[in-house]
Amino acid sequence: IDGLYQGTLSAVIGAEQAATAAGQPDGSGAQKSAAAVQAILPIFNAWSTQNNIQVDQDAAKKWVDAVVASLNAIPAPIKGGSTPAAA
């Protein structure tokens, strides 16, 4: 599953970079998601077939959404690079 996750990360980051380059970094979540889904379909389908799992494009979208959610769960870096004081 590591290859599928890493491939999806690359697709999500690529979609984000493409939106930023097009001057639309915000507010184009549906377009970024669709681009990421299209990018990962070959590896998603190959992984699913290899593991004898039947999937469709809706399952691929749910997978992309889950990967994006995992990225969004990571806290943003602290500005200035300082570490919060221990409690």
Side-chain angles (χ1 to χ4, degrees):
I1 198 158
D2 182 54
L4 178 59
Y5 188 80
Q6 294 298 327
T8 306
L9 285 176
S10 293
V12 167
I13 292 166
E16 187 70 39
Q17 289 172 337
T20 299
Q24 300 176 331
D26 298 321
S28 58
Q31 292 171 329
K32 289 186 271 189
S33 177
V37 168
Q38 289 304 311
I40 66 120
L41 274 177
I43 60 171
F44 184 79
N45 289 335
W47 181 88
S48 300
T49 299
Q50 183 179 28
N51 290 283
N52 200 28
I53 300 171
Q54 290 187 324
V55 296
D56 57 15
Q57 191 162 342
D58 188 49
K61 182 181 181 333
K62 288 176 183 176
W63 170 256
V64 167
D65 290 346
V67 171
V68 169
S70 75
L71 292 171
N72 288 338
I74 300 169
I78 298 170
K79 292 185 180 191
S82 62
T83 307

